[in-house]
Amino acid sequence: PISNGQNGVPMIGIARSSDVFIAPVSGIAKGIQHPAMFPDSLAEQLILTFSRENDLVVDPFCGSGTTLVAAKRLGRDYRGFDRNQKYVRIALGRLAEN
């Protein structure tokens, strides 16, 4: 594919995904008590865009584990950390279910 590089100079062989990700809020997991939930589909789109199968996805503030669940589902290795043990338990439970 041909895309525009800096200063409008064409570059051959560089493909670029859209700058816009669409993730309906209806995709947020139900019944989980966390103040900053986001749709699984958003995490999936980002993981697919920026990693390959078997890559490592690290979420240093994993909260309820949405990113970790998406990484597991997409065949990535994953590591998550959170200071709040309540959220660590939620994330571990979600990973066990998926």
Side-chain angles (χ1 to χ4, degrees):
I2 298 175
S3 63
N4 286 332
Q6 291 181 339
N7 303 322
V9 176
M11 298 176 66
I12 298 174
I14 297 176
R16 192 179 155 157
S17 65
S18 171
D19 291 338
V20 178
F21 293 100
I22 298 175
V25 293
S26 62
I28 295 175
K30 308 291 186 246
I32 298 173
Q33 298 298 316
H34 190 278
M37 295 285 294
F38 54 90
D40 292 359
S41 63
L42 177 58
E44 289 174 359
Q45 290 176 68
L46 291 165
I47 290 167
L48 287 169
T49 300
F50 296 109
S51 70
R52 297 184 190 120
E53 195 167 336
N54 299 316
D55 277 355
L56 176 62
V57 174
V58 176
D59 188 350
F61 308 99
C62 69
S64 65
T66 300
T67 301
L68 305 178
V69 169
K72 181 179 180 181
R73 191 178 304 136
L74 295 171
R76 274 56 171 184
D77 195 7
Y78 52 89
R79 300 289 185 276
F81 310 89
D82 204 286
R83 185 175 181 193
N84 188 320
Q85 288 300 309
K86 174 184 173 183
Y87 299 140
V88 170
R89 286 189 296 275
I90 291 171
L92 287 169
R94 292 183 69 199
L95 287 164
E97 292 173 2
N98 289 288

